[in-house]
Amino acid sequence: MIVALIVACEVGFWVLLALGLTARYLLKWRRTGAALLLCEPLLELVLFTATAIDLKNGARPGWEHGLAALYIGFTVGYGHYTVRRLDAHAAHRLAGAPPPPKPPKYGLPRARHETGLWLRTLLAATVALALLQTAIWYVGTPSATAPLRSWQWTMLRITAIHGLIALTYLLFPKKAPAEAARSTEGRTLTGR
């Protein structure tokens, strides 16, 4: 049941997003579009409530309960960012707004962008870990909470790997093509 609800919430997220952007830009119903976009957090509330009720009714914690916590965490961390980016693209394509800025590709601006994405992952992890820990305390039986603890370690690994990737953009910044050509040119002139 929980897995089907997670799938329904994901489908519902994209359906609400499409309906909200359609109402906002094609039908010119700005308030209706905004209301539809603001309904998206209700999906996570439904998933959270269903998961809590499932555990309260004596369901043994399983991988699906952990997946629900991760889904809610990532929606909190990346949901608003995704809606904002797609809204900017829809405004450009459907309402004649200027194109949204693309993420930077080089140097310190790219490192800042990647760090911002990692901070979103950190927020998602914090929410997911808090939900998982609450479920662990609620269930209370150590042997029954093993799947939830496994998801906690998974979330920590995801966060650490993403953090390392973001750090590489700071430690080894990609140079712009013109900048790379200038540094190569300078090396050939000095003989190094």
Side-chain angles (χ1 to χ4, degrees):
M1 176 186 120
I2 298 297
V3 175
L5 193 55
I6 292 170
V7 171
C9 285
E10 181 65 14
V11 170
F13 175 84
W14 292 104
V15 167
L16 277 175
L17 184 59
L19 289 173
L21 295 176
T22 298
R24 193 173 193 163
Y25 295 110
L26 291 180
L27 302 174
K28 307 291 187 212
W29 299 344
R30 298 195 71 62
R31 287 186 183 174
T32 304
L36 286 167
L37 293 175
L38 289 172
C39 285
E40 292 196 359
L42 295 176
L43 295 171
E44 281 64 48
L45 186 60
V46 167
L47 179 60
F48 175 74
T49 304
T51 304
I53 290 170
D54 193 40
L55 289 173
K56 182 179 184 274
N57 289 339
R60 184 172 175 85
W63 64 271
E64 64 275 7
H65 297 99
L67 182 62
L70 262 64
Y71 178 80
I72 292 169
F74 273 98
T75 301
V76 169
Y78 283 93
H80 179 68
Y81 174 78
T82 303
V83 170
R84 194 177 71 233
R85 295 268 310 155
L86 291 175
D87 184 52
H89 283 285
H92 169 62
R93 300 239 183 221
L94 303 173
K102 292 184 178 181
K105 292 183 180 181
Y106 308 106
L108 192 56
R110 177 60 185 242
R112 271 191 231 108
H113 174 74
E114 293 298 327
T115 301
L117 291 178
W118 178 75
L119 289 173
R120 291 184 183 288
T121 300
L122 187 61
L123 173 62
T126 302
V127 170
L129 290 170
L131 290 172
L132 289 165
Q133 190 59 45
T134 303
I136 288 168
W137 288 333
Y138 181 71
V139 172
T141 311
S143 62
T145 59
L148 300 178
R149 292 216 181 275
S150 173
W151 278 107
Q152 284 181 317
W153 285 110
T154 299
M155 195 67 238
L156 290 171
R157 282 192 302 270
I158 289 169
T159 306
I161 291 168
H162 191 183
L164 289 173
I165 291 169
L167 185 62
T168 62
Y169 282 95
L170 183 64
L171 297 177
F172 310 107
K174 187 175 178 183
K175 294 180 180 177
E179 187 180 322
R182 279 196 304 267
S183 68
T184 305
E185 209 174 88
R187 274 189 249 144
T188 57
L189 293 177
T190 60
R192 293 183 190 170

